[in-house]
Amino acid sequence: MQTQTEGSAEPADNGGLLQVVGGAIVDSLERPVRLLVARRTAPEAFAGMWEFPGGKVEAGEAPEDGLRRELREELGVGVVLGDEIPGPLVQGWPLSGAAAMRVWVAAVHDGAPAPLEDHDELRWVELDGDRIMDLPWIPADLPIVDALRRHLA
Ligand SMILES: Nc1nc2c([nH]c(=O)n2[C@H]2C[C@H](O)[C@@H](COP(=O)(O)OP(=O)(O)OP(=O)(O)O)O2)c(=O)[nH]1
């Protein structure tokens, strides 16, 4: 699996969409068994739903750098990035509103994940089986979870 520890990509042209990035943090890049999922606290429409930790890319920031920054802020961890889970758009996966999310597989490089910001619970769930799909995900994330499972199988 391709890995990268330092951001070298140029800021992406987001085509007018709000660019969001998410981390599919797995227990091992080589032999992934479990995925770290996060339960949002806000906004009200998404509170209580599970998602990939991450957030919005800032102006002039490369997406991979934005993802590392968000995961440091939200979970207190440094990560190694693995493969991207490509979506149907150049900007990744369509979300509600004029937004799209690029998602990378990632593994914790330093720190212990904790719900420092934006989440009230983190949970390691098995990638295989029904349990992961039984979680109340943000609806737009369901095809991404499906593609992730197929990519890692
Ligand atoms: N992080 C994340 N956001 C998602 C996912 N699925 C999904 O629809 N979204 C939406 C929710 C939000 O409208 C948007 C991401 O915004 P955010 O609130 O997480 O971004 P941020 O951390 O930069 O927050 P802020 O600076 O605006 O407070 O994308 C997902 O799996 N992860």
Side-chain angles (χ1 to χ4, degrees):
M1 183 180 280
Q2 192 189 357
T3 62
Q4 38 181 120
T5 50
E6 296 298 330
S8 55
E10 295 297 316
D13 174 5
N14 64 11
L17 293 172
L18 178 69
Q19 186 69 63
V20 177
V21 287
I25 299 178
V26 292
D27 52 348
S28 159
L29 288 181
E30 290 73 32
R31 291 175 176 270
V33 175
R34 293 190 302 160
L35 173 72
L36 187 67
V37 295
R39 191 170 64 183
R40 278 188 84 100
T41 51
E44 199 175 332
F46 293 140
M49 292 181 178
W50 295 82
E51 70 166 11
F52 298 97
K56 300 176 191 111
V57 176
E58 292 179 352
E61 186 178 47
E64 292 93 330
D65 292 339
L67 179 56
R68 287 193 191 84
R69 174 185 51 73
E70 287 284 348
L71 296 177
R72 174 68 69 190
E73 290 170 7
E74 291 186 357
L75 309 181
V77 296
V79 294
V80 177
L81 300 184
D83 292 346
E84 181 174 3
I85 305 300
L89 308 173
V90 176
Q91 300 89 350
W93 297 86
L95 304 179
S96 65
M101 180 167 66
R102 291 181 65 183
V103 176
W104 277 268
V105 180
V108 174
H109 177 263
D110 64 85
L116 305 179
E117 271 184 9
D118 300 340
H119 304 110
D120 64 359
E121 190 178 338
L122 304 178
R123 197 179 289 178
W124 288 100
V125 293
E126 290 197 0
L127 283 155
D128 283 345
D130 295 337
R131 275 190 157 167
I132 188 170
M133 300 315 286
D134 288 343
L135 290 172
W137 285 91
I138 294 177
D141 285 8
L142 288 170
I144 313 173
V145 180
D146 194 46
L148 173 72
R149 278 157 44 109
R150 283 188 275 109
H151 184 89
L152 295 178

